[in-house]
Amino acid sequence: MSNVVYAQHLAIVDPRFRQLVLPNAPLHQLHTGSCWTEGPVWFGDHGCLLWSDIPNNRMLRWIESGVSVFRQPSNFANGNTRDNQGRLVTCEHGTRRVTRTEFNGRIRVLADSFDGRKLNSPNDVVVKSDGTVWFTDPTYGIDNDYEGYAAQPEYGGCYLFCFDPRDGTLRAAATDFDKPNGLAFSVDERTLYVVDTGGTHTAGGPHHIRALRVSDENRVRESSLFQEVSPGFPDGLRLDRHGNIWTSAGDGVHCYAPDGTLLGKILVPEVVSNVCFGGARQSRLFITASSSLYAVNLNVSGAAAAR
Ligand code: MG
């Protein structure tokens, strides 16, 4: 692309991207040696980042002074977020469930079946301000024994689910995805961005982000293509406070304006799976990428709901 200006790890495609990044802020590799990193989630109250190393069946914890194991075995945990009370919410491939870690450390199962059949392998999760837990359920964790345990799908689809902890109900919010993956709400929570990575299994299949209009009653009213992402796949994503979408891709992190315009990229030397905002000002972008964890300081903070 002729108008791309490379400044170290930054690819500025649209001039607006300059307002969002810090050209002199380096891309740091904070840890390496994992097999496939995913699920970054920031705990400002503990000054730490938790993330998943899926094939190694563990979750890791980064603080300024170093990295330690947070949970092992992790039941092949994948996506993580926090609920409105700050509790850790985790997608587990190995147990095919979504859990919440209580303040006393006890792990409570939020959802593990739909219509009496096991979930596939919950992949990524976000909590809305009303407390509902939205998660995707593709088959990556039951396709083989690398990221979970090989098994058959039971309910016959790969759905986007909405779990309401107030009454314990689990509802299929959208059933027309191939492989639903990362997800994040817009700042006003009226749009839910959901990735479809069906192209991992089907040549020419989806590698895009869809925008779902969500009603106040949590019903999906419309769905449209937001943006195709290439190279690679948009796996996980988060929003900044302006509503820009920061998503993983094959060559790094892509940043899209709310109208779908590609603003720029953070080029990362490994395939990126997911991102999250953290740090004291919520403006440090943590990046899980293949075997490593990276971070870069930005000139914008994450959306309040971008946990
Ligand atoms: Mg994912």
Side-chain angles (χ1 to χ4, degrees):
M1 199 175 296
S2 61
N3 59 342
V4 174
V5 177
Y6 289 93
Q8 299 174 358
H9 55 279
L10 297 177
I12 296 169
V13 180
D14 183 291
R16 287 174 284 178
F17 195 54
R18 294 183 187 281
Q19 306 302 317
L20 304 176
V21 294
L22 299 167
N24 58 345
L27 177 69
H28 281 128
Q29 185 189 53
L30 300 179
H31 182 262
T32 192
S34 295
C35 283
W36 181 247
T37 58
E38 248 285 9
V41 58
W42 176 249
F43 280 72
D45 41 349
H46 298 283
C48 78
L49 183 95
L50 302 182
W51 78 101
S52 301
D53 177 2
I54 304 174
N56 283 320
N57 198 12
R58 63 181 182 170
M59 288 177 65
L60 299 173
R61 170 177 43 213
W62 172 90
I63 57 175
E64 281 291 350
S65 58
V67 170
S68 58
V69 174
F70 169 72
R71 177 179 292 169
Q72 190 174 30
S74 63
N75 297 322
F76 295 92
N78 188 338
N80 295 287
T81 192
R82 303 181 72 177
D83 72 3
N84 296 325
Q85 295 184 45
R87 294 171 294 193
L88 174 65
V89 177
T90 299
C91 295
E92 298 181 0
H93 284 179
T95 42
R96 303 170 72 165
R97 66 188 190 180
V98 178
T99 64
R100 183 177 70 207
T101 302
E102 308 292 355
F103 293 123
N104 63 8
R106 194 165 70 87
I107 294 177
R108 177 190 293 269
V109 179
L110 298 184
D112 60 2
S113 63
F114 176 66
D115 272 352
R117 298 180 175 91
K118 286 184 180 178
L119 300 176
N120 297 322
S121 52
N123 186 287
D124 216 342
V125 59
V126 66
V127 177
K128 201 179 174 193
S129 61
D130 65 4
T132 50
V133 180
W134 298 68
F135 66 93
T136 55
D137 190 37
T139 58
Y140 296 113
I142 56 172
D143 286 340
N144 52 56
D145 287 324
Y146 186 57
E147 293 193 33
Y149 303 106
Q152 291 299 313
E154 294 197 3
Y155 65 82
C158 293
Y159 294 170
L160 165 71
F161 286 106
C162 176
F163 173 75
D164 193 334
R166 293 167 294 199
D167 57 16
T169 56
L170 181 68
R171 187 169 51 79
T175 61
D176 58 345
F177 282 90
D178 191 346
K179 301 287 183 195
N181 206 314
L183 70 174
F185 276 101
S186 62
V187 175
D188 65 7
E189 295 191 324
R190 295 186 183 279
T191 300
L192 178 62
Y193 297 99
V194 184
V195 167
D196 196 330
T197 50
T200 55
H201 282 54
T202 308
H207 50 102
H208 60 224
I209 302 168
R210 278 165 55 176
L212 279 54
R213 298 294 291 177
V214 178
S215 71
D216 292 340
E217 297 75 34
N218 288 330
R219 303 290 160 168
V220 174
R221 296 302 186 202
E222 298 172 36
S223 173
S224 59
L225 176 67
F226 173 71
Q227 189 55 269
E228 284 203 335
V229 174
S230 64
F233 293 93
D235 188 338
L237 71 173
R238 294 286 204 284
L239 271 67
D240 68 30
R241 66 187 182 89
H242 301 308
N244 301 306
I245 293 94
W246 298 75
T247 179
S248 66
D251 57 351
V253 178
H254 292 191
C255 177
Y256 294 91
D259 67 2
T261 304
L262 176 63
L263 300 180
K265 304 179 181 183
I266 299 168
L267 301 171
V268 179
E270 297 182 73
V271 173
V272 174
S273 64
N274 213 330
V275 299
C276 84
F277 288 86
R281 296 178 179 82
Q282 290 294 312
S283 58
R284 193 172 193 190
L285 191 71
F286 290 90
I287 302 166
T288 50
S290 299
S291 65
S292 301
L293 174 71
Y294 295 86
V296 62
N297 284 301
L298 301 177
N299 194 34
V300 64
S301 56
R307 289 184 288 258

